[in-house]
Structure formats: structure tokens, C-alpha cells
Amino acid sequence: RQLILDRDRKTLTDYAVTCIDAIHRNVTALDLPMITISLVQGDALGGGFEHALSGNVLIAERQAKFGLPEVLFNLFPGMGAYSLIARKVGAAMAERMIFSGKVYTAEELHEIGLVDVLCEEGQGEEAVEHFIAQNRRRHNARCAIYKAARRFHPVTHEELRDIALLWVDTALTLQEADLKKMSRLAKAQDRRNAAIDSDRPAISPAV
């Protein structure tokens, strides 16, 4: 918000490119014979959702929530959402999710194919370990299939960068009313995070 107010295109661009660099590395698995896994145990909104989508496999606990709220303040998710959702479940679904600004449950996304593995609350790490163990003997085949998918429909760094730069251009056109909505959403998220943190048990320091 402050960068938009300051009309600081350079820093906004640096931020956007840093984001898509991380997304692209995950999407391509660093061009290594490995499988990237995203685990979501809480809320994955905006960029958090985009990064979760960049893994080969998305595992989510049932209470997890997902959303792309940017449209609510007249912006769009510019760090890979359209590219990643469209490739997995189609462009029409990508647009529906982006335009709605809706928060989705893990179960809803599992039903449409964006969440690959759905598990119960508190069982996320166990689900990741189970997935790895279950697929250890098929690792080469899975790696080859994901590589074939990237060859068939590659998510290029150029594509991600072009969309990220469009995001920068769009962000710099936001008006004061849009920025006020952005601030309200950010404050609501801060309150929610504070409430979640207060419910967590205190951890005693190691002796």
C-alpha cells in the first residue's frame, strides 16, 4: 500500500519478481528429479495460496481455507494464480475463483482437483510422510509425469514475469478507496492471526 502511495514502481517490481522467482523454482522443481509438496494447515490467501499451488502436490488439512481476495480492492492475484489454476482445472475455473474473491474450504478445492490430498486437522505432516512413503517406489514415474506435464504446458518464467508486471501496472492505478479496502482486509487478517496465536499453547524454553 505504501509503495503504491509513493508511486515506487521499481520496488513494487522488485517485490513482484522476487515472488515469481520463488514460484517458478517450485513449479520446475529446480529442474531436479524431485517432487515438490505444499502442505496447508491454516489459511492460504493471495500470495500464500499462489505459492501453495506451485507445488506438484498440494496436501491440506480439512480446516484450511483458501482464497484470492485481491479483486475486493480492485486488484488481481498477479504471482501465478491464473497460470497455475488454469493449467490444473481450466481457465474458466481460474477466472471464477479470481473474480469471486471467495474463501474456499479445503474440501471444496479437493472436489475440483486443486487439493490433491485432504486430511484431518493436525494430521498434515503425517499425511505428507504417508504420501512420500506410498509413492517412493513410483518416484521415477511421478517425476517423469510431472516433467511431461511441464513440457506439454510449461509455466515459463517469462509468462509469470509478464503477468507480474501487469500486476504492478494495475496496482499503481488503485485509488484511495481501493487502498482503504486493502487496509481493512489487512487489519482483519492481523486480528485473525492474533486470535489464532493466542489460542496456541505456550512453548516452554529448552533448558
Side-chain angles (χ1 to χ4, degrees), residues 8-123:
D8 188 346
R9 178 182 292 274
K10 181 184 183 304
T11 308
L12 266 180
T13 300
D14 290 344
Y15 164 75
V17 171
T18 297
C19 291
I20 63 105
D21 283 348
I23 294 282
H24 189 255
R25 284 194 294 269
N26 213 32
V27 166
T28 59
L30 297 172
D31 291 321
L32 295 172
M34 67 180 185
I35 296 167
T36 53
I37 300 173
S38 301
L39 170 62
V40 179
Q41 297 170 292
D43 292 348
L45 304 174
F49 187 11
E50 288 172 303
H51 207 94
L53 288 167
S54 69
N56 296 134
V57 179
L58 202 171
I59 298 174
E61 294 186 2
R62 193 173 295 276
Q63 83 285 358
K65 299 288 193 300
F66 302 80
L68 299 165
E70 288 86 350
V71 72
L72 301 178
F73 47 86
N74 207 19
L75 195 54
F76 75 99
M79 315 307 173
Y82 196 108
S83 300
L84 298 170
I85 296 172
R87 279 169 171 78
K88 198 155 188 180
V89 296
M93 180 59 73
E95 291 182 13
R96 188 184 309 171
M97 292 181 69
I98 291 168
F99 282 130
S100 73
K102 174 185 171 183
V103 174
Y104 292 84
T105 66
E107 192 164 353
E108 286 176 308
L109 295 193
H110 184 250
E111 288 174 1
I112 66 173
L114 280 179
V115 167
D116 299 292
V117 178
L118 184 65
C119 63
E120 298 305 318
E121 183 173 359
Q123 296 181 7

Side-chain angles (χ1 to χ4, degrees), residues 2 5 19-21 30 88 91-92 108-109 123 144 148 150 153 157 163 171 175-176 178 181 184 190 196-197:
Q2 191 59 51
L5 287 171
C19 291
I20 63 105
D21 283 348
L30 297 172
K88 198 155 188 180
E108 286 176 308
L109 295 193
Q123 296 181 7
R150 292 195 293 271
H153 212 170
H157 191 276
I163 295 172
Q175 302 300 309
E176 183 59 31
D178 302 319
K181 290 178 185 176
R184 285 198 294 271
D190 287 343
I196 291 170
D197 288 341

